[in-house]
Structures are given as structure tokens and as C-alpha cells.
Amino acid sequence: MKKIINKPEDFVDEVIEGILLAHPASLRSASKDNRALVRADAPLANKVGIVTGGGSGHLPVFLGYVGEGLCTGVAVGNVFSSPSPDQILDATRSSHGGAGVLYLYGNYGGDVFNFDLAADLTEMEDIETASVIVSDDVASAPKERAATRRGVAGMVFAYKIAGASAERGDSLSEVARLATKTNKHVRSMGVGLSPTILPAAGEPTFTLTEGEMEIGIGIHGEPGVHRGKLESANRITERLLKEILDDLDLRAGSRVALMVNGMGATPAEELYVMFRRAKQLLDTADIEIHRAYVGEYATSLEMAGASITVLALDDELTELLDAPAVSPFFEQR
């Protein structure tokens, strides 16, 4: 696998350095090692800070959603590795404007462990924190164990809703409530066509033979729920959307936000073919798409594949989803 990198061990630090150099008006470093970043105007006085974090290799998740109406700060780990508690603490200190800090991140063991440790450390510094863990991947556990599911592209909607709440000056408990509500209303599922090659290891995270696909695969190559011959875009979309809609239990007349997300190496054209079929299916079910998102929102380096995310909306979530948001990687006016 050919990659445009220098030394593999320098990859993450050079990515972050490049982002900081490209967007100095939007982002700044909050630590000596650059592994904690915050929006350039952080902290915001008397507003809740939102800190996220996770492993590198998923741009624009996680640091791509640091900005106005989104997260305040982020802790950045190595490729597919969790950030350390100290890195999370650095992001927290620089995000705290006096109204507390929400930890908002995906459900991965290392992230949960280290964010919990960071919360213990911030408590000793009298910084109030609350945590909401996103768990939207329906393929990773059955509905009765929904809290154990992985967090994937649904995190983007959690950032958007919680960020809008914090931006308007809501309390920490209210921002956490809305993030929790978003997590209960969002579902995702993906398909993988070819693997990621880790820069340091130079090896694929999983293998598929020519002409195969894997439904329900995780963004780190975690096993899916079905492996078989590559099917048409329509059939793949039908598979993914059926599992999501069955889990969300949507009814005719419901309103949703729909995201078709590329995993890193899937052309936008193919994502729009999937969106076309998803729109047809939702129209047939009399479900309105309030906002559509098609593109790369949560990737896995050069993995080929796509995911579908559906956020069930009510008036409260719709107002926050529609609020403006800007970061170097995401813009909604």
C-alpha cells in the first residue's frame, strides 16, 4: 500500500502540525505536545465546554468538529489509540470557561477508561464534568444491549446538537441531557469493501477477498454481521437502512436527518447513489428527510466502504440541528 508519509512514527504529530498551520484562526494547541487542541477563542466565559477525543485516523472525527457550535476541545491519540488522561486534562483546562465541561466521545474501552481517569483529575481542580458516551452502531450489539454499542458517525450529530446547546448558553446538565437524547435517537450501520493499512504496521486491519463485502464492520476493522459477495448499491443500502429503521422504530410521518458517510476511499459519486436509494425507501415509508449529509464525516484512513446514519428528530432536536456551526472541517450556516 502506497502512502504519502514521512516516518510512520511521526505521522500523527505531522498531521496535527499541518492542521494547526493551515487553520491558525480557528484552532490552537492546548499542550506542549500538540495532542490537545481547542478552538482559537477558547475558553468561552460562562459557557459549557465540550471535549471529545479518540484515536487518529478518522478525520474529520474527532478534531474536525472543534469549532463554533460544535466541540470546544479535543484530545488526540495515536492511530486507532486512545488519548491519555493527561492529554484529555489539557484539553479540559483550556475548554473550561466556568460553566463546566461535557465529555462527549465514542464507546471504546480505552477512551472510556481514560476519560474517566481525566474526570477524576479535573474534580481535584474543581472543574465540574459530565460524560455522554455515543453508541449508535446497531451492528455491534443487539437492541437490548444498546448501551454497549460502538460510537461511529452518529457522534457527528451528538457534537452538533450538544454544541448548539452549549453555544446558546445552556447549563452543563442541559447540554448533557440533549447529548444523551441525541444518542437515544441516532443509529448507524456500515459496510466495508477493503481495509485500512496502519501507517506504523503497514498491514491491513482485516482481509476481504476480491469481490467480497462485509456488512456491519467497525471503523477499526471489527467483525461485522455478514460477509459475502459484493451486492449492488441499492441492495447494500436496503440492508443497512432496514436494520436502522427497525431499531429506531420510526413511523409514517417521522422526520429525520440522514447521513451517508464515506469511510475514506469511497468516491462521492457512490455515496450519492446510496443516498438516492435511501431517499426512495424513506419516501415509501413516509419519512421526511429534514437535512441530508453526504460525504466523509467519520472515516477510517483509506478504508473503502460507507455507512448510513439516521437521527430521529423532534422540534427540540431540529432547532439545535439547524443552528449554525463552523470548523475547518464542517460548516453549516
CSV table of all heavy atoms in Angstrom, one decimal, residues 50 61 65 69-71 104 132 134 136 152-165 175 178-188 244 248 256-261 289-294 297-298 307-313 317-318 320-322 325 330 332:
chain,number,residue,atom,x,y,z
A,50,ILE,N,-17.1,21.6,25.6
A,50,ILE,CA,-17.3,20.2,25.2
A,50,ILE,C,-16.0,19.7,24.7
A,50,ILE,O,-15.4,20.3,23.8
A,50,ILE,CB,-18.4,20.1,24.1
A,50,ILE,CG1,-19.7,20.7,24.6
A,50,ILE,CG2,-18.5,18.7,23.6
A,50,ILE,CD1,-20.8,20.8,23.5
A,61,VAL,N,-13.6,13.1,12.2
A,61,VAL,CA,-13.7,12.7,13.6
A,61,VAL,C,-12.3,12.5,14.1
A,61,VAL,O,-11.5,11.9,13.4
A,61,VAL,CB,-14.5,11.4,13.8
A,61,VAL,CG1,-14.3,10.8,15.1
A,61,VAL,CG2,-16.0,11.7,13.5
A,65,TYR,N,-14.3,18.4,14.4
A,65,TYR,CA,-15.6,19.0,15.0
A,65,TYR,C,-15.3,19.9,16.2
A,65,TYR,O,-16.1,20.0,17.1
A,65,TYR,CB,-16.6,17.9,15.3
A,65,TYR,CG,-16.9,17.1,14.0
A,65,TYR,CD1,-16.3,15.9,13.7
A,65,TYR,CD2,-17.8,17.7,13.1
A,65,TYR,CE1,-16.6,15.2,12.5
A,65,TYR,CE2,-18.1,17.0,11.9
A,65,TYR,CZ,-17.4,15.8,11.6
A,65,TYR,OH,-17.7,15.1,10.4
A,69,GLY,N,-20.2,26.3,17.7
A,69,GLY,CA,-21.5,25.5,17.6
A,69,GLY,C,-21.2,24.0,17.6
A,69,GLY,O,-22.1,23.2,17.4
A,70,LEU,N,-19.9,23.6,17.9
A,70,LEU,CA,-19.5,22.2,18.0
A,70,LEU,C,-18.8,22.0,19.3
A,70,LEU,O,-19.2,22.5,20.3
A,70,LEU,CB,-18.7,21.9,16.7
A,70,LEU,CG,-19.4,22.1,15.4
A,70,LEU,CD1,-18.4,22.1,14.2
A,70,LEU,CD2,-20.4,20.9,15.2
A,71,CYS,N,-17.7,21.2,19.2
A,71,CYS,CA,-16.9,20.9,20.4
A,71,CYS,C,-16.0,22.1,20.7
A,71,CYS,O,-15.6,22.8,19.8
A,71,CYS,CB,-16.1,19.6,20.3
A,71,CYS,SG,-17.1,18.2,20.0
A,104,LEU,N,-17.7,14.1,25.6
A,104,LEU,CA,-18.6,13.6,24.6
A,104,LEU,C,-17.7,12.8,23.6
A,104,LEU,O,-17.0,13.3,22.8
A,104,LEU,CB,-19.4,14.7,23.9
A,104,LEU,CG,-20.4,14.3,22.8
A,104,LEU,CD1,-21.5,13.4,23.4
A,104,LEU,CD2,-21.1,15.5,22.2
A,132,VAL,N,-21.1,11.9,28.3
A,132,VAL,CA,-22.0,11.2,27.5
A,132,VAL,C,-21.3,10.4,26.5
A,132,VAL,O,-20.4,10.9,25.7
A,132,VAL,CB,-23.0,12.2,26.8
A,132,VAL,CG1,-23.9,11.4,25.8
A,132,VAL,CG2,-23.8,13.0,27.8
A,134,VAL,N,-21.3,8.0,23.2
A,134,VAL,CA,-22.2,7.8,22.0
A,134,VAL,C,-22.1,6.3,21.6
A,134,VAL,O,-20.9,5.7,21.5
A,134,VAL,CB,-21.8,8.7,20.8
A,134,VAL,CG1,-22.6,8.4,19.6
A,134,VAL,CG2,-21.9,10.2,21.2
A,136,ASP,N,-24.0,4.3,18.7
A,136,ASP,CA,-25.0,4.3,17.6
A,136,ASP,C,-24.9,3.2,16.6
A,136,ASP,O,-25.8,3.0,15.8
A,136,ASP,CB,-24.9,5.7,16.8
A,136,ASP,CG,-23.5,5.9,16.3
A,136,ASP,OD1,-22.6,5.9,17.0
A,136,ASP,OD2,-23.5,6.2,15.0
A,152,VAL,N,-20.0,5.6,16.3
A,152,VAL,CA,-19.4,5.8,14.9
A,152,VAL,C,-19.9,7.2,14.4
A,152,VAL,O,-19.8,8.2,15.1
A,152,VAL,CB,-19.7,4.7,14.0
A,152,VAL,CG1,-18.8,3.5,14.3
A,152,VAL,CG2,-21.2,4.2,14.0
A,153,ALA,N,-20.4,7.3,13.2
A,153,ALA,CA,-20.7,8.6,12.6
A,153,ALA,C,-21.8,9.3,13.3
A,153,ALA,O,-22.0,10.5,13.2
A,153,ALA,CB,-21.1,8.4,11.2
A,154,GLY,N,-22.6,8.6,14.2
A,154,GLY,CA,-23.6,9.3,15.0
A,154,GLY,C,-23.1,10.3,15.9
A,154,GLY,O,-23.8,11.2,16.4
A,155,MET,N,-21.8,10.2,16.2
A,155,MET,CA,-21.1,11.2,17.0
A,155,MET,C,-21.2,12.6,16.4
A,155,MET,O,-21.3,13.6,17.2
A,155,MET,CB,-19.6,10.8,17.2
A,155,MET,CG,-19.4,9.7,18.3
A,155,MET,SD,-17.7,9.5,18.7
A,155,MET,CE,-17.1,8.7,17.2
A,156,VAL,N,-21.2,12.7,15.1
A,156,VAL,CA,-21.3,14.0,14.5
A,156,VAL,C,-22.6,14.7,14.9
A,156,VAL,O,-22.6,15.9,15.2
A,156,VAL,CB,-21.2,13.8,12.9
A,156,VAL,CG1,-21.4,15.2,12.3
A,156,VAL,CG2,-19.9,13.2,12.6
A,157,PHE,N,-23.7,14.0,14.9
A,157,PHE,CA,-25.0,14.6,15.3
A,157,PHE,C,-24.9,15.0,16.8
A,157,PHE,O,-25.5,16.0,17.2
A,157,PHE,CB,-26.1,13.7,15.0
A,157,PHE,CG,-26.4,13.6,13.5
A,157,PHE,CD1,-26.6,12.3,12.9
A,157,PHE,CD2,-26.6,14.7,12.7
A,157,PHE,CE1,-26.9,12.3,11.5
A,157,PHE,CE2,-26.9,14.6,11.4
A,157,PHE,CZ,-27.0,13.4,10.8
A,158,ALA,N,-24.3,14.1,17.6
A,158,ALA,CA,-24.2,14.5,19.0
A,158,ALA,C,-23.4,15.8,19.2
A,158,ALA,O,-23.7,16.6,20.0
A,158,ALA,CB,-23.5,13.3,19.8
A,159,TYR,N,-22.3,15.9,18.5
A,159,TYR,CA,-21.5,17.1,18.5
A,159,TYR,C,-22.3,18.3,18.1
A,159,TYR,O,-22.3,19.4,18.7
A,159,TYR,CB,-20.3,17.1,17.6
A,159,TYR,CG,-19.2,16.0,17.9
A,159,TYR,CD1,-18.5,15.5,16.8
A,159,TYR,CD2,-19.0,15.6,19.2
A,159,TYR,CE1,-17.5,14.5,17.1
A,159,TYR,CE2,-18.0,14.6,19.4
A,159,TYR,CZ,-17.3,14.1,18.3
A,159,TYR,OH,-16.3,13.1,18.6
A,160,LYS,N,-23.1,18.1,17.0
A,160,LYS,CA,-23.9,19.2,16.5
A,160,LYS,C,-25.0,19.7,17.5
A,160,LYS,O,-25.1,20.9,17.7
A,160,LYS,CB,-24.5,18.8,15.2
A,160,LYS,CG,-25.3,19.9,14.5
A,160,LYS,CD,-24.5,21.0,14.0
A,160,LYS,CE,-25.3,22.2,13.6
A,160,LYS,NZ,-25.9,22.9,14.8
A,161,ILE,N,-25.7,18.8,18.1
A,161,ILE,CA,-26.8,19.1,19.0
A,161,ILE,C,-26.2,19.7,20.3
A,161,ILE,O,-26.6,20.7,20.8
A,161,ILE,CB,-27.6,17.9,19.3
A,161,ILE,CG1,-28.3,17.3,18.0
A,161,ILE,CG2,-28.7,18.2,20.4
A,161,ILE,CD1,-29.3,18.2,17.4
A,162,ALA,N,-25.2,19.0,20.9
A,162,ALA,CA,-24.7,19.5,22.2
A,162,ALA,C,-23.9,20.8,22.0
A,162,ALA,O,-24.0,21.7,22.8
A,162,ALA,CB,-23.7,18.4,22.7
A,163,GLY,N,-23.3,20.9,20.8
A,163,GLY,CA,-22.5,22.2,20.6
A,163,GLY,C,-23.5,23.4,20.4
A,163,GLY,O,-23.2,24.5,20.9
A,164,ALA,N,-24.6,23.2,19.8
A,164,ALA,CA,-25.6,24.3,19.6
A,164,ALA,C,-26.2,24.6,21.0
A,164,ALA,O,-26.4,25.8,21.3
A,164,ALA,CB,-26.7,23.8,18.7
A,165,SER,N,-26.4,23.6,21.8
A,165,SER,CA,-26.9,23.9,23.2
A,165,SER,C,-25.9,24.7,24.0
A,165,SER,O,-26.3,25.6,24.7
A,165,SER,CB,-27.2,22.5,23.9
A,165,SER,OG,-27.5,22.7,25.2
A,175,VAL,N,-27.0,20.6,28.6
A,175,VAL,CA,-26.2,20.1,27.4
A,175,VAL,C,-26.0,18.6,27.4
A,175,VAL,O,-26.1,17.9,26.4
A,175,VAL,CB,-24.8,20.8,27.4
A,175,VAL,CG1,-23.9,20.3,26.2
A,175,VAL,CG2,-24.9,22.3,27.3
A,178,LEU,N,-29.3,16.9,26.4
A,178,LEU,CA,-29.5,16.9,24.9
A,178,LEU,C,-28.6,16.0,24.2
A,178,LEU,O,-29.0,15.3,23.2
A,178,LEU,CB,-29.4,18.3,24.4
A,178,LEU,CG,-30.6,19.2,24.9
A,178,LEU,CD1,-30.3,20.7,24.8
A,178,LEU,CD2,-31.8,18.9,24.0
A,179,ALA,N,-27.4,15.8,24.7
A,179,ALA,CA,-26.4,14.9,24.0
A,179,ALA,C,-26.9,13.5,24.3
A,179,ALA,O,-26.9,12.6,23.4
A,179,ALA,CB,-25.0,15.1,24.6
A,180,THR,N,-27.4,13.2,25.5
A,180,THR,CA,-28.0,11.9,25.8
A,180,THR,C,-29.2,11.6,24.9
A,180,THR,O,-29.3,10.4,24.4
A,180,THR,CB,-28.3,11.8,27.3
A,180,THR,OG1,-27.1,12.0,28.1
A,180,THR,CG2,-28.9,10.4,27.6
A,181,LYS,N,-30.0,12.5,24.8
A,181,LYS,CA,-31.2,12.4,23.9
A,181,LYS,C,-30.8,12.1,22.5
A,181,LYS,O,-31.4,11.2,21.8
A,181,LYS,CB,-32.1,13.6,24.0
A,181,LYS,CG,-33.4,13.6,23.2
A,181,LYS,CD,-34.2,14.8,23.4
A,181,LYS,CE,-35.4,14.8,22.5
A,181,LYS,NZ,-36.3,16.0,22.7
A,182,THR,N,-29.8,12.8,22.0
A,182,THR,CA,-29.4,12.6,20.6
A,182,THR,C,-28.9,11.1,20.5
A,182,THR,O,-29.2,10.5,19.5
A,182,THR,CB,-28.2,13.5,20.3
A,182,THR,OG1,-28.7,14.9,20.5
A,182,THR,CG2,-27.8,13.4,18.8
A,183,ASN,N,-28.2,10.7,21.5
A,183,ASN,CA,-27.7,9.3,21.4
A,183,ASN,C,-28.8,8.3,21.3
A,183,ASN,O,-28.7,7.2,20.7
A,183,ASN,CB,-26.7,9.0,22.6
A,183,ASN,CG,-26.0,7.7,22.5
A,183,ASN,OD1,-25.5,7.3,21.4
A,183,ASN,ND2,-26.0,6.9,23.5
A,184,LYS,N,-29.9,8.6,22.0
A,184,LYS,CA,-31.0,7.6,22.0
A,184,LYS,C,-31.8,7.7,20.7
A,184,LYS,O,-32.5,6.7,20.4
A,184,LYS,CB,-32.0,8.0,23.2
A,184,LYS,CG,-31.4,7.7,24.6
A,184,LYS,CD,-32.4,8.1,25.7
A,184,LYS,CE,-31.8,7.7,27.0
A,184,LYS,NZ,-32.7,8.1,28.1
A,185,HIS,N,-31.6,8.8,20.0
A,185,HIS,CA,-32.4,9.0,18.7
A,185,HIS,C,-31.5,8.7,17.5
A,185,HIS,O,-32.1,8.9,16.4
A,185,HIS,CB,-32.9,10.4,18.6
A,185,HIS,CG,-34.1,10.6,19.5
A,185,HIS,ND1,-35.2,11.2,19.1
A,185,HIS,CD2,-34.3,10.4,20.8
A,185,HIS,CE1,-36.1,11.3,20.1
A,185,HIS,NE2,-35.5,10.8,21.2
A,186,VAL,N,-30.3,8.2,17.6
A,186,VAL,CA,-29.4,8.1,16.4
A,186,VAL,C,-29.0,6.6,16.2
A,186,VAL,O,-28.7,5.9,17.2
A,186,VAL,CB,-28.2,9.1,16.5
A,186,VAL,CG1,-27.2,8.7,17.5
A,186,VAL,CG2,-27.6,9.2,15.1
A,187,ARG,N,-28.9,6.2,15.0
A,187,ARG,CA,-28.5,4.8,14.7
A,187,ARG,C,-27.6,4.9,13.4
A,187,ARG,O,-27.9,5.6,12.5
A,187,ARG,CB,-29.6,3.9,14.4
A,187,ARG,CG,-30.6,3.7,15.6
A,187,ARG,CD,-30.0,3.0,16.8
A,187,ARG,NE,-31.1,2.7,17.7
A,187,ARG,CZ,-31.5,3.6,18.7
A,187,ARG,NH1,-30.9,4.7,18.7
A,187,ARG,NH2,-32.4,3.2,19.5
A,188,SER,N,-26.6,4.0,13.4
A,188,SER,CA,-25.7,3.9,12.2
A,188,SER,C,-25.5,2.4,11.9
A,188,SER,O,-25.6,1.5,12.8
A,188,SER,CB,-24.4,4.6,12.5
A,188,SER,OG,-24.5,5.9,12.7
A,244,ILE,N,-31.4,-0.2,10.6
A,244,ILE,CA,-31.5,1.1,11.3
A,244,ILE,C,-33.0,1.4,11.7
A,244,ILE,O,-33.3,1.8,12.8
A,244,ILE,CB,-30.8,2.2,10.5
A,244,ILE,CG1,-29.3,2.0,10.5
A,244,ILE,CG2,-31.2,3.6,11.1
A,244,ILE,CD1,-28.6,2.9,9.5
A,248,LEU,N,-34.8,1.9,15.3
A,248,LEU,CA,-35.3,3.2,15.7
A,248,LEU,C,-36.8,3.2,15.9
A,248,LEU,O,-37.4,4.0,16.5
A,248,LEU,CB,-35.0,4.3,14.7
A,248,LEU,CG,-33.7,5.0,14.9
A,248,LEU,CD1,-33.5,6.0,13.8
A,248,LEU,CD2,-33.7,5.8,16.2
A,256,VAL,N,-36.4,13.0,9.9
A,256,VAL,CA,-35.1,12.6,10.3
A,256,VAL,C,-34.0,13.4,9.6
A,256,VAL,O,-34.3,14.2,8.7
A,256,VAL,CB,-34.8,11.1,9.8
A,256,VAL,CG1,-35.9,10.2,10.5
A,256,VAL,CG2,-34.8,11.0,8.3
A,257,ALA,N,-32.8,13.3,10.2
A,257,ALA,CA,-31.6,13.8,9.4
A,257,ALA,C,-30.9,12.5,8.9
A,257,ALA,O,-30.8,11.5,9.6
A,257,ALA,CB,-30.6,14.5,10.3
A,258,LEU,N,-30.5,12.5,7.7
A,258,LEU,CA,-29.9,11.3,7.0
A,258,LEU,C,-28.5,11.6,6.6
A,258,LEU,O,-28.2,12.6,5.9
A,258,LEU,CB,-30.7,10.9,5.8
A,258,LEU,CG,-30.1,9.8,5.0
A,258,LEU,CD1,-30.1,8.5,5.7
A,258,LEU,CD2,-31.0,9.6,3.7
A,259,MET,N,-27.6,10.8,7.0
A,259,MET,CA,-26.1,10.9,6.6
A,259,MET,C,-25.7,9.7,5.9
A,259,MET,O,-25.8,8.6,6.4
A,259,MET,CB,-25.3,11.1,7.9
A,259,MET,CG,-23.8,11.2,7.6
A,259,MET,SD,-22.8,11.3,9.1
A,259,MET,CE,-23.2,12.9,9.7
A,260,VAL,N,-25.1,9.9,4.7
A,260,VAL,CA,-24.4,8.8,4.0
A,260,VAL,C,-22.9,9.2,4.0
A,260,VAL,O,-22.5,10.2,3.5
A,260,VAL,CB,-24.9,8.6,2.6
A,260,VAL,CG1,-24.1,7.5,1.9
A,260,VAL,CG2,-26.4,8.3,2.6
A,261,ASN,N,-22.2,8.4,4.8
A,261,ASN,CA,-20.8,8.7,5.1
A,261,ASN,C,-19.8,7.8,4.4
A,261,ASN,O,-19.9,6.5,4.4
A,261,ASN,CB,-20.6,8.6,6.6
A,261,ASN,CG,-19.2,8.6,7.1
A,261,ASN,OD1,-18.6,9.7,6.9
A,261,ASN,ND2,-18.7,7.6,7.6
A,289,ILE,N,-37.0,13.6,5.1
A,289,ILE,CA,-35.6,13.9,5.4
A,289,ILE,C,-35.5,15.4,5.6
A,289,ILE,O,-35.7,16.2,4.7
A,289,ILE,CB,-34.7,13.5,4.2
A,289,ILE,CG1,-34.7,12.0,4.0
A,289,ILE,CG2,-33.2,13.9,4.5
A,289,ILE,CD1,-34.0,11.5,2.8
A,290,HIS,N,-35.3,15.9,6.8
A,290,HIS,CA,-35.2,17.3,7.1
A,290,HIS,C,-33.9,17.9,6.7
A,290,HIS,O,-33.8,19.0,6.2
A,290,HIS,CB,-35.4,17.5,8.6
A,290,HIS,CG,-35.2,18.9,9.1
A,290,HIS,ND1,-36.2,19.9,8.8
A,290,HIS,CD2,-34.2,19.6,9.7
A,290,HIS,CE1,-35.8,21.1,9.3
A,290,HIS,NE2,-34.6,20.9,9.8
A,291,ARG,N,-32.8,17.2,7.0
A,291,ARG,CA,-31.5,17.6,6.5
A,291,ARG,C,-30.7,16.4,6.0
A,291,ARG,O,-30.8,15.3,6.5
A,291,ARG,CB,-30.6,18.2,7.6
A,291,ARG,CG,-30.9,19.7,7.8
A,291,ARG,CD,-29.9,20.3,8.8
A,291,ARG,NE,-30.2,21.7,9.0
A,291,ARG,CZ,-29.7,22.7,8.2
A,291,ARG,NH1,-28.9,22.4,7.2
A,291,ARG,NH2,-30.0,24.0,8.4
A,292,ALA,N,-30.0,16.6,4.9
A,292,ALA,CA,-29.2,15.5,4.3
A,292,ALA,C,-27.7,15.8,4.4
A,292,ALA,O,-27.3,16.9,4.2
A,292,ALA,CB,-29.6,15.3,2.8
A,293,TYR,N,-26.9,14.8,4.7
A,293,TYR,CA,-25.5,14.9,4.8
A,293,TYR,C,-24.8,13.8,4.0
A,293,TYR,O,-25.0,12.6,4.3
A,293,TYR,CB,-25.0,14.8,6.3
A,293,TYR,CG,-25.6,15.9,7.2
A,293,TYR,CD1,-26.8,15.8,7.7
A,293,TYR,CD2,-24.8,17.0,7.5
A,293,TYR,CE1,-27.4,16.7,8.5
A,293,TYR,CE2,-25.3,18.0,8.3
A,293,TYR,CZ,-26.6,17.9,8.9
A,293,TYR,OH,-27.1,18.8,9.7
A,294,VAL,N,-24.1,14.1,2.9
A,294,VAL,CA,-23.5,13.1,2.1
A,294,VAL,C,-22.0,13.5,1.9
A,294,VAL,O,-21.7,14.6,1.5
A,294,VAL,CB,-24.1,13.1,0.7
A,294,VAL,CG1,-23.4,12.0,-0.2
A,294,VAL,CG2,-25.6,12.8,0.8
A,297,TYR,N,-17.6,12.1,6.9
A,297,TYR,CA,-17.8,12.7,8.2
A,297,TYR,C,-17.1,11.9,9.3
A,297,TYR,O,-16.8,12.4,10.3
A,297,TYR,CB,-19.3,12.8,8.5
A,297,TYR,CG,-20.0,13.7,7.6
A,297,TYR,CD1,-20.6,13.3,6.4
A,297,TYR,CD2,-20.1,15.1,7.9
A,297,TYR,CE1,-21.2,14.1,5.5
A,297,TYR,CE2,-20.8,15.9,7.0
A,297,TYR,CZ,-21.3,15.5,5.9
A,297,TYR,OH,-22.0,16.3,5.0
A,298,ALA,N,-16.9,10.6,9.1
A,298,ALA,CA,-16.2,9.7,10.0
A,298,ALA,C,-15.5,8.6,9.3
A,298,ALA,O,-16.2,7.7,8.8
A,298,ALA,CB,-17.2,9.2,11.1
A,307,SER,N,-21.2,4.2,5.4
A,307,SER,CA,-22.2,4.0,6.5
A,307,SER,C,-23.4,4.9,6.3
A,307,SER,O,-23.3,5.9,5.6
A,307,SER,CB,-21.5,4.2,7.9
A,307,SER,OG,-21.1,5.5,8.0
A,308,ILE,N,-24.5,4.4,6.9
A,308,ILE,CA,-25.7,5.3,6.9
A,308,ILE,C,-26.0,5.6,8.3
A,308,ILE,O,-25.9,4.7,9.2
A,308,ILE,CB,-26.8,4.5,6.2
A,308,ILE,CG1,-26.6,4.4,4.7
A,308,ILE,CG2,-28.2,5.3,6.5
A,308,ILE,CD1,-27.7,3.6,4.0
A,309,THR,N,-26.3,6.8,8.6
A,309,THR,CA,-26.8,7.2,10.0
A,309,THR,C,-28.1,8.0,9.9
A,309,THR,O,-28.3,8.8,9.0
A,309,THR,CB,-25.7,8.2,10.6
A,309,THR,OG1,-24.5,7.5,10.7
A,309,THR,CG2,-26.2,8.7,11.9
A,310,VAL,N,-29.0,7.6,10.8
A,310,VAL,CA,-30.3,8.3,10.8
A,310,VAL,C,-30.5,8.8,12.2
A,310,VAL,O,-30.4,8.1,13.2
A,310,VAL,CB,-31.4,7.3,10.5
A,310,VAL,CG1,-32.8,8.0,10.6
A,310,VAL,CG2,-31.3,6.7,9.1
A,311,LEU,N,-30.8,10.1,12.3
A,311,LEU,CA,-31.2,10.8,13.5
A,311,LEU,C,-32.7,11.1,13.5
A,311,LEU,O,-33.1,11.9,12.6
A,311,LEU,CB,-30.4,12.1,13.7
A,311,LEU,CG,-30.8,13.0,14.9
A,311,LEU,CD1,-30.5,12.2,16.2
A,311,LEU,CD2,-30.1,14.3,14.9
A,312,ALA,N,-33.4,10.5,14.4
A,312,ALA,CA,-34.9,10.8,14.5
A,312,ALA,C,-35.0,12.2,15.2
A,312,ALA,O,-34.5,12.4,16.3
A,312,ALA,CB,-35.6,9.7,15.3
A,313,LEU,N,-35.8,13.0,14.6
A,313,LEU,CA,-35.9,14.4,15.0
A,313,LEU,C,-37.3,14.7,15.6
A,313,LEU,O,-38.3,14.2,15.2
A,313,LEU,CB,-35.7,15.4,13.9
A,313,LEU,CG,-34.3,15.4,13.3
A,313,LEU,CD1,-34.3,16.2,12.0
A,313,LEU,CD2,-33.3,16.0,14.2
A,317,LEU,N,-34.8,18.8,18.9
A,317,LEU,CA,-33.5,18.4,18.2
A,317,LEU,C,-33.4,19.2,16.9
A,317,LEU,O,-32.3,19.5,16.5
A,317,LEU,CB,-33.5,16.9,18.0
A,317,LEU,CG,-33.4,16.1,19.3
A,317,LEU,CD1,-33.3,14.6,19.0
A,317,LEU,CD2,-32.2,16.5,20.2
A,318,THR,N,-34.5,19.4,16.2
A,318,THR,CA,-34.5,20.1,14.9
A,318,THR,C,-33.9,21.5,15.1
A,318,THR,O,-33.1,21.9,14.3
A,318,THR,CB,-35.9,20.1,14.3
A,318,THR,OG1,-36.3,18.8,14.1
A,318,THR,CG2,-35.8,20.8,12.9
A,320,LEU,N,-31.9,22.7,17.3
A,320,LEU,CA,-30.4,22.6,17.5
A,320,LEU,C,-29.6,22.1,16.3
A,320,LEU,O,-28.5,22.6,16.0
A,320,LEU,CB,-30.2,21.8,18.8
A,320,LEU,CG,-30.7,22.4,20.1
A,320,LEU,CD1,-30.8,21.3,21.1
A,320,LEU,CD2,-29.8,23.5,20.5
A,321,LEU,N,-30.2,21.2,15.6
A,321,LEU,CA,-29.5,20.7,14.4
A,321,LEU,C,-29.4,21.8,13.4
A,321,LEU,O,-28.4,21.9,12.7
A,321,LEU,CB,-30.3,19.5,13.8
A,321,LEU,CG,-29.7,18.9,12.5
A,321,LEU,CD1,-28.4,18.1,12.9
A,321,LEU,CD2,-30.6,17.9,11.9
A,322,ASP,N,-30.4,22.6,13.3
A,322,ASP,CA,-30.4,23.7,12.3
A,322,ASP,C,-29.5,24.9,12.7
A,322,ASP,O,-29.3,25.8,11.8
A,322,ASP,CB,-31.8,24.2,12.1
A,322,ASP,CG,-32.7,23.2,11.3
A,322,ASP,OD1,-32.1,22.3,10.7
A,322,ASP,OD2,-33.9,23.4,11.3
A,325,ALA,N,-23.0,26.2,12.6
A,325,ALA,CA,-21.8,25.6,13.1
A,325,ALA,C,-20.6,25.8,12.1
A,325,ALA,O,-20.9,25.6,10.9
A,325,ALA,CB,-22.0,24.2,13.5
A,330,PHE,N,-16.1,21.4,9.0
A,330,PHE,CA,-17.5,21.3,8.9
A,330,PHE,C,-18.1,22.7,8.9
A,330,PHE,O,-17.7,23.5,9.8
A,330,PHE,CB,-18.1,20.5,10.1
A,330,PHE,CG,-19.5,20.3,10.2
A,330,PHE,CD1,-20.1,19.2,9.6
A,330,PHE,CD2,-20.4,21.2,10.8
A,330,PHE,CE1,-21.5,19.0,9.7
A,330,PHE,CE2,-21.7,21.1,10.9
A,330,PHE,CZ,-22.3,20.0,10.3
A,332,GLN,N,-22.0,24.8,8.6
A,332,GLN,CA,-23.4,24.8,8.3
A,332,GLN,C,-23.9,26.2,8.7
A,332,GLN,O,-23.8,26.6,9.9
A,332,GLN,CB,-24.1,23.7,9.2
A,332,GLN,CG,-25.6,23.6,9.0
A,332,GLN,CD,-26.2,22.5,9.7
A,332,GLN,OE1,-26.0,21.3,9.4
A,332,GLN,NE2,-27.1,22.8,10.7
